[in-house]
């Protein structure tokens, strides 16, 4: 028997509506207590059961693999500021992967690769994380801020501090030899 596992082909009936340049990297049958489905990782993002759209790698706040269960926490845009967006966690979604194969590895690698810069900062009355992420098909980094729970996100002082922190992060990651 060889050292390499033969790649399983995703059945056509389980195939999500992929874009022309999108390709399947790994998949697994899954259950989440509300019915079964298929979790599919592509070069552009993650397709989860019950969703009619892909979650881009840059939109996944956290993905955790327990050895049996995959927990995905997507982020959603709350507001757009000058040069960055503020995101918040969506509810975590859990899936029991029936034959995970390479899927957990691909998810970890892709989410990790999308993060180019991350730094947690204290701000007036709370804290937040400034993140520069790579987005497929977009040049440069896309900047996001995810505030810790309880941080007064409508406070003008917090917004001014955040604007400054994002500007400093952008400056620190911009190549000077262009």
């Amino acid at each position: 028997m060889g050292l390499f596992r033969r790649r399983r082909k995703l059945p056509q009936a389980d195939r999500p509506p992929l874009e022309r340049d999108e390709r399947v990297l790994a998949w697994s049958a899954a259950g989440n207590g509300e019915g079964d489905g298929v979790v599919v990782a592509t070069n552009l993002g993650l397709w989860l059961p019950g969703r009619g759209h892909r979650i881009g790698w840059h939109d996944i706040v956290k993905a955790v693999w327990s050895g049996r269960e995959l927990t995905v926490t997507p982020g959603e845009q709350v507001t757009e500021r000058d040069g960055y967006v503020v995101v918040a966690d969506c509810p975590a979604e859990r899936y029991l992967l029936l034959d995970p194969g390479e899927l957990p590895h691909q998810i970890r690698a892709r989410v990790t690769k999308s993060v180019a810069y991350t730094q947690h900062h204290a701000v007036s009355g709370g804290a937040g994380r400034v993140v520069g992420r790579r987005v497929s098909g977009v040049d440069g980094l896309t900047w996001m801020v995810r505030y810790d729970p309880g941080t007064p996100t409508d406070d003008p002082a917090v917004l001014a501090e955040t604007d400054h922190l994002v500007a400093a992060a952008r400056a620190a990651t911009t190549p000077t030899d262009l």
Side-chain angles (χ1 to χ4, degrees), residues 24 26 46 54 59 61 63 71 73 93 95 105 108-109 123 137 153 171:
V24 173
L46 190 62
R54 167 187 3 91
D59 288 325
V61 174
T71 304
T73 305
E93 299 178 31
Y95 301 93
H105 169 74
R108 179 180 177 89
V123 294
T153 58

Side-chain angles (χ1 to χ4, degrees), residues 154-176:
D154 55 354
D155 182 331
V158 170
L159 297 175
E161 287 178 71
T162 303
D163 290 347
H164 174 74
L165 291 168
V166 172
R170 291 174 76 106
T173 58
T174 301
T176 56

Side-chain angles (χ1 to χ4, degrees), residues 77-154:
Q77 182 175 323
V78 175
T79 189
E80 188 169 345
R81 302 273 300 155
D82 187 25
Y84 65 95
V85 295
V86 176
V87 297
D89 293 4
C90 292
E93 299 178 31
R94 290 178 174 75
Y95 301 93
L96 176 65
L97 299 185
L98 304 178
D99 185 12
E102 286 293 308
L103 185 62
H105 169 74
Q106 284 292 335
I107 292 170
R108 179 180 177 89
R110 297 288 172 151
V111 171
T112 301
K113 185 179 176 184
S114 78
V115 179
Y117 175 95
T118 181
Q119 187 70 46
H120 193 261
H121 299 277
V123 294
S124 299
R129 180 166 299 281
V130 176
V131 183
R133 302 214 48 185
R134 295 177 189 93
V135 177
S136 182
V138 176
D139 287 337
L141 299 180
T142 298
W143 292 92
M144 302 173 185
V145 172
R146 183 173 155 254
Y147 290 108
D148 291 359
T151 301
T153 58
D154 55 354

Side-chain angles (χ1 to χ4, degrees), residues 19-36:
E19 290 184 21
R20 190 169 52 168
D21 61 343
E22 188 172 14
R23 67 189 194 302
V24 173
L25 303 173
W27 65 277
S28 176
N32 66 356
E34 297 176 18
D36 295 332

Side-chain angles (χ1 to χ4, degrees), residues 40-92:
V40 179
T42 74
N43 56 314
L44 300 179
L46 190 62
W47 293 86
L48 297 172
R51 289 178 172 256
H53 65 279
R54 167 187 3 91
I55 302 171
W57 296 117
H58 63 283
D59 288 325
I60 298 175
V61 174
K62 184 171 30 171
V64 177
W65 172 239
S66 73
R68 282 188 46 144
E69 189 175 72
L70 173 68
T71 304
V72 177
T73 305
E76 70 176 337
Q77 182 175 323
V78 175
T79 189
E80 188 169 345
R81 302 273 300 155
D82 187 25
Y84 65 95
V85 295
V86 176
V87 297
D89 293 4
C90 292

